Amino acid sequence: MRNRVEWRDARVAEVRQIAEDVRQISFAVDGAVPRFDPGSHSNFRVEIEGEAATRTYTVIPAPVGQIAVAVKLHPQSRGGSRYMWGLEAGDAVRLTLPENRFELSWRAEHYLLLAGGIGITPIYGMARALAARGASVRLVYGARSRGLMAFTEELQSLLGDRLILRDNAQGQHVDLEAEFAALPANAECYLCGPIGMLEAAKRAWAESGRPVSRLRYEVFGDSGLFAEKPFTVEVLNRGVTVPVRSDQSLLDALSAAGVEMISDCRRGECGLCAVRVLDRDGQLDHRDVFFSDEEKAEGQRMCACVSRLSEGHAVIDVGYRA
Ligand code: FES
């Protein structure tokens, strides 16, 4: 685990509904809260079916001394969003001070921000920061319906016609090829959305011939190809078979069963929690951004923090580390 992670006590200061399935929750934190950049996130201690777990949420701009997050209630969530939605003003929580792995470079001539669904959370902070500095920025925000979009009024007044809303229910979608084709040569794109949107963007970006380093992204780990179902894993050389609930990550299930694991980001980014898959009768639902498309297609490794089996049973080796 990261040594610099600093846990703090906090209390819920305010809960606000900001879209049909999104609540903004603000926390008054004990002690000083250092300034944090857009794209930062905090970990929260949550309780799921009586068990302690950790969930990570992007932090959004907040008053001094506070940390705020916007949480989508996911009907098939592993329990984290249900817990967060149950919080009320005055409730005590434990959280970490924000840290950032999705940073703005501040070097581009133009910024294209792309958000899909709850992926708006880091993008919202970036849009505010870029607009405050007078940067050239365009934000394209797609969601299944208008009512599911958060922060739209504020973004509208901030960006005017540089904000493009794409309402899927109205047949509107983000035209990645057109967006990339319209960019000046040294533009950068920052994307946060479901894994399908990210994969399409990576392909379109590569086809546009632009440098890979200028597409930066983050994906939310609950967006897979399959709905979450329970599955089991037999752990090589450990003599245990571990059931994984639909509302539980493989990493949490292994840890709860006493299988020693290492992890860091818990967002499918660092690869520390990777396990080797030796045999399986279900499909691998890769939800990480650590492994390449080729590695995912090989189907031999998966990030236990976010990726899972569609159902069925697998034999895994947790001793494996690249
Ligand atoms: S802990 Fe970082 S990828 Fe799983």
Side-chain angles (χ1 to χ4, degrees):
M1 303 294 282
R2 300 174 79 89
N3 291 327
R4 70 170 186 269
V5 168
E6 183 176 337
W7 286 92
R8 291 280 184 85
D9 290 314
R11 286 199 178 271
V12 176
E14 186 187 33
V15 179
R16 278 202 301 137
Q17 192 90 15
I18 56 170
E20 284 171 17
D21 63 350
V22 183
R23 278 186 187 169
Q24 178 173 326
I25 310 168
S26 306
F27 302 88
V29 182
D30 282 5
V33 177
R35 190 187 150 276
F36 53 85
D37 296 320
S40 299
H41 63 265
S42 284
N43 300 319
F44 288 77
R45 288 259 190 268
V46 301
E47 194 173 297
I48 299 169
E49 297 195 352
E51 290 175 18
T54 302
R55 291 291 180 266
T56 304
Y57 295 97
T58 299
V59 293
I60 57 177
V64 173
Q66 290 196 1
I67 286 175
V69 295
V71 181
K72 173 186 171 180
L73 181 62
H74 196 296
Q76 291 172 321
S77 90
R78 300 192 300 267
S81 67
R82 276 203 300 275
Y83 174 87
M84 297 295 278
W85 267 55
L87 291 173
E88 296 176 351
D91 285 350
V93 299
R94 290 275 290 165
L95 51 74
T96 62
L97 293 179
E99 57 174 331
N100 200 354
R101 298 196 188 93
F102 187 35
E103 292 175 65
L104 275 171
S105 72
W106 297 112
R107 67 176 179 184
E109 171 190 328
H110 176 77
Y111 295 86
L112 173 63
L113 306 179
L114 297 178
I118 193 61
I120 191 63
T121 49
I123 298 299
Y124 163 67
M126 288 178 176
R128 280 184 41 152
L130 289 166
R133 288 205 189 184
S136 173
V137 57
R138 172 181 168 93
L139 196 171
V140 186
Y141 178 12
R144 284 184 290 113
S145 75
R146 188 71 171 72
L148 300 175
M149 294 182 181
F151 308 119
T152 50
E153 280 180 23
E154 184 184 347
L155 288 170
Q156 194 80 61
S157 61
L158 204 61
L159 300 174
D161 61 6
R162 295 177 295 163
L163 171 69
I164 314 297
L165 301 178
R166 308 303 291 163
D167 177 350
N168 300 168
Q170 300 294 320
Q172 302 168 344
H173 296 278
V174 180
D175 187 340
L176 294 165
E177 286 78 9
E179 291 294 338
F180 296 164
L183 291 176
N186 74 343
E188 291 185 350
C189 176
Y190 291 76
L191 179 153
C192 186
I195 195 122
M197 181 182 186
L198 171 61
E199 297 301 339
K202 282 161 68 178
R203 278 195 300 276
W205 190 262
E207 284 163 12
S208 75
R210 293 174 182 278
V212 174
S213 62
R214 288 183 173 254
L215 172 65
R216 300 181 176 206
Y217 50 81
E218 186 172 70
V219 67
F220 36 90
D222 62 357
S223 62
L225 297 176
F226 304 95
E228 292 87 351
K229 289 184 180 173
F231 59 99
T232 56
V233 289
E234 179 185 338
V235 187
L236 185 73
N237 296 330
R238 305 296 170 99
V240 290
T241 295
V242 179
V244 184
R245 300 190 311 259
S246 58
D247 64 351
Q248 191 178 35
S249 71
L250 172 58
L251 178 63
D252 284 344
L254 290 169
S255 300
V259 179
E260 193 175 326
M261 296 289 294
I262 56 172
S263 63
D264 182 359
C265 69
R266 290 177 167 258
R267 297 160 66 87
E269 294 168 359
C270 70
L272 269 182
C273 66
V275 300
R276 187 180 292 281
V277 182
L278 305 174
D279 191 20
R280 61 187 161 88
D281 58 15
Q283 305 219 52
L284 285 184
D285 193 357
H286 288 290
R287 301 176 174 205
D288 67 273
V289 292
F290 175 74
F291 288 120
S292 66
D293 291 347
E294 292 74 22
E295 289 169 321
K296 288 176 182 174
E298 286 171 10
Q300 295 177 356
R301 293 171 290 174
M302 67 191 290
C303 289
C305 62
V306 291
S307 299
R308 51 194 303 120
L309 207 61
S310 61
E311 58 189 332
H313 180 77
V315 181
I316 63 171
D317 179 4
V318 300
Y320 153 77
R321 290 290 177 272

